[in-house]
Amino acid sequence: MSESRPTVRLGHLYPDHLNIYADRGNIAVFRRRLEWRGLALEVVETGLGDEIPADCNLYYLGGGQDRDQLLVAEDLVGKVAPLRQAADGGAVVLAVCGGYQLMGHSYVTADGKKMRGTSLLDLETAASHDRLIGDVVLSVNLDGHTNTVVGYENHAGRTRLGPGCTPFGRVDKGHGNNGQDGFEGALSGRRIGTYLHGPLLPKNPWLADILLRWALDHAGAAVELEPLDDTLEQAAHATAAARAGLKR
Amino acid sequence: MTAHIRWTERIDDCLMKRPSLPHWLAAAVARTAGRLSRLLGRGGGTTLPGLLLNRLRPQATEEMARAVPNGVILLSGTNGKTTTARLVRAALDESGARVVANTAGSNLERGVATALLNTPEPDIALFEVDEAALPTLVQQTHPRVVVLMNLFRDQLDRYGELEHLAQKWRSVVADLDPDTILVYNADDPGVAEIGAEHPNSVAYGIEDPHLGRETLPHAADNTNCRRCDSPLHYQMITIGHLGQWACPACGLIRPQPDLIASNVEFEGMDGQQIAMSTASGPIDVSLRLPGLPNAYNAVAAVATAIAVGITPTTISAALAERGAAFGRAEHINVGTRRVTTLLAKNPAGANENIRMVLNETHPLHLLLLLNDRTADGQDVSWIWDVDYELLLEGDRLKSLTLGGTRAHDLALRFRYAVGGTTDFSVRPEPAASFETAMAACGAGGRVYVLPTYTAMLDFRRVLADRGLVPEFWEDE
């Protein structure tokens, strides 16, 4: 551990329960893209019963099966204060799939069970009996730039946003939040929730770098992220976009 | 009277807008379609006739299944269906029975219907069944034996979540005829909890202490108690979440198996010796298939064969003769090189293949092939749950070629892997990936090919084009 290197501290919440869609791929992308630039990632894993650290620059919540998500929801709601405090102070939160649903006010399962959420994002989710599954292509605008984001979605939940957040992206291909309004995910400041896995970040290095830039800013490290050779990432991105039926 | 009933049935059919042709006519149309498809080179005809038959006469499968005198065996699970069915088939063949089976791996309703259609007057039926198709096929075939092997994380794009599949299986078992024999894997906590509910059941498991692993792999599922949600405790872990499990919180415990593999001796890629103990005495099996997953397949097959009354001597003799199922630990000679294919389409299967490959003493030349068609799983994110990092430890890996429609996703998996300074070639196109891997290996070497299902078919086509293997439907 060379503490001289600018370091992003990542709080990985429930890695044992929320990991169904290869969430460790997203963590690997954070780590590598920092290391390749001489920076470092420090990961704090927090599970059921553990206290959430308030001093991370970046928090990650992955996806889980309904059963695991119920366990996590019960645990998380009572101890979310440090996460809320960090997010209010400008820490980045990326929540994918089940994690995204936990960011809202509530989640109603297909058999009518209501789980309370963390209310970190102004949204509500209700599960339906059919799942929205398939490749997705989004147009996403962050920091004044628009780019395409590719991924895969697989969710029974239908998410509706309140006025307190905006969609993460516009759906070019796929279903999105509810299969009706043409939008996907939610964004509020540096909090992002999305249904996209695949995992999300390896094929979307542009998004990964924006999140890292935000996290470094929160860490007080004034560093520029040098461009990397993303030839393979772009090729995989193009394949996924083509698979979704979007010719590019 | 019969004529009258038949008439009312017809009227019912018309009212329900379900056209139902007489069986002979529906069958003739379906068979002809299969022959035409084959003549036109549109594939092996393992699904089309059944698909058509089920359309033309929805009750056809049920009628044909009822006519099989010694009953129907249905076998399901995420991993090992095809190989296990092949081993059971060997035992049935050895016993002299005339078997109808869907050995070409077409394991949905239409594949079963096609097999029944194409095999006149069988003694017994043996079908490997897709996990999600099991409920329908149990209803249609009224099975004598149902085998539940395992539930791993697999193709979530198609099945929804693992939990939903477990729920489906739970209701299958709840509705099962009490006379149906349920053979199930006691080492899979998710399956065991479902299987133990049935009154007429046979549990199997592996209890060789030197096979155990210390930690659960990254992609382990079902590691919490099904009853009280507390973390399970494992005295021994075999594959993924399989092993000798117990819940310290509520006391739920792995059922004591009726059939146990007590000693497993591996013989590299060539096979293994398995000592089993059963209610009808010990059985020693000499298996020409490598690795722990195949030990499970063999135990499941032996339990199934015993359930339908085949003697231990017949079973041992049959299993010793049976080689690899198509694409599963199959060896093919390509000039002076030897190519071994190890099929996997989910993290548990891929992790076992990696372990098998690492047990080899030869320099490692690998060709990984990832496709994203329906049979492979359109969601390729599962590759991130595979422990490919194990391949990068030490200096074992001599060459790595990445192919298939999603070769670039594999490339990213290795680019971002721990220790990720690995050299690899990315060749999405099947022939190019084959040529590259062969060139990297050099004369006299061995290439291990790890494909998903349709990538394996593409690879076979490349070999067939070069005259190295026959076309696949000629295999059966």
Side-chain angles (χ1 to χ4, degrees), chain B residues 285-410:
Chain B
V285 169
S286 171
L287 196 67
R288 283 168 50 195
L289 298 166
L292 199 46
N294 283 317
Y296 270 108
N297 296 337
V299 186
V302 171
T304 308
I306 290 176
V308 293
I310 303 179
T311 64
T313 333
T314 308
I315 297 170
S316 307
L319 265 52
E321 286 164 17
R322 194 52 64 117
F326 177 57
R328 284 102 173 153
E330 192 184 25
H331 308 295
I332 298 151
N333 290 322
V334 178
T336 60
R337 298 169 181 84
R338 184 157 112 144
V339 172
T340 301
T341 29
L342 295 165
L343 176 73
K345 54 186 171 58
N346 51 45
N351 281 336
E352 289 313 310
N353 287 344
I354 286 169
R355 288 177 85 196
M356 267 193 267
V357 164
L358 285 172
N359 280 334
E360 292 287 273
T361 50
H362 313 277
L364 290 183
H365 297 279
L366 296 188
L367 170 57
L368 306 190
L369 302 170
L370 177 66
N371 277 5
D372 63 359
R373 303 196 184 110
T374 312
D376 308 293
Q378 294 175 16
D379 179 358
V380 296
S381 57
W382 63 272
I383 59 168
W384 291 84
D385 283 330
V386 179
D387 294 322
Y388 292 114
E389 276 77 4
L390 296 174
L391 292 169
L392 309 178
E393 286 173 10
D395 191 23
R396 298 292 316 278
L397 194 58
K398 299 303 173 201
S399 77
L400 177 61
T401 309
L402 307 173
T405 56
R406 299 303 285 265
H408 283 101
D409 282 79
L410 280 173

Side-chain angles (χ1 to χ4, degrees), chain A residues 19-22 24-25 32-33 36 65-67 131 133 152 154 197-199 202-203 229 233 235 243, chain B residues 153 156-157 161-163 218 225-226 229 372 379 381 384-387 408-409 412 415-419:
Chain A
N19 65 10
I20 193 162
Y21 294 121
R24 74 169 165 177
R32 294 283 159 202
R33 297 185 75 81
W36 289 333
Q65 303 211 30
D66 278 358
R67 185 186 172 86
R131 302 182 72 83
I133 302 177
Y152 200 92
N154 182 348
H197 62 268
K203 287 193 280 283
D229 177 1
E233 285 83 347
R243 189 69 173 83
Chain B
R153 189 185 287 214
L156 293 162
D157 56 309
E161 295 175 359
L162 197 60
E163 192 61 31
H218 175 75
C225 176
R226 316 291 305 168
D229 274 333
D372 63 359
D379 179 358
S381 57
W384 291 84
D385 283 330
V386 179
D387 294 322
H408 283 101
D409 282 79
L412 291 185
R415 175 162 152 85
Y416 285 99
V418 177

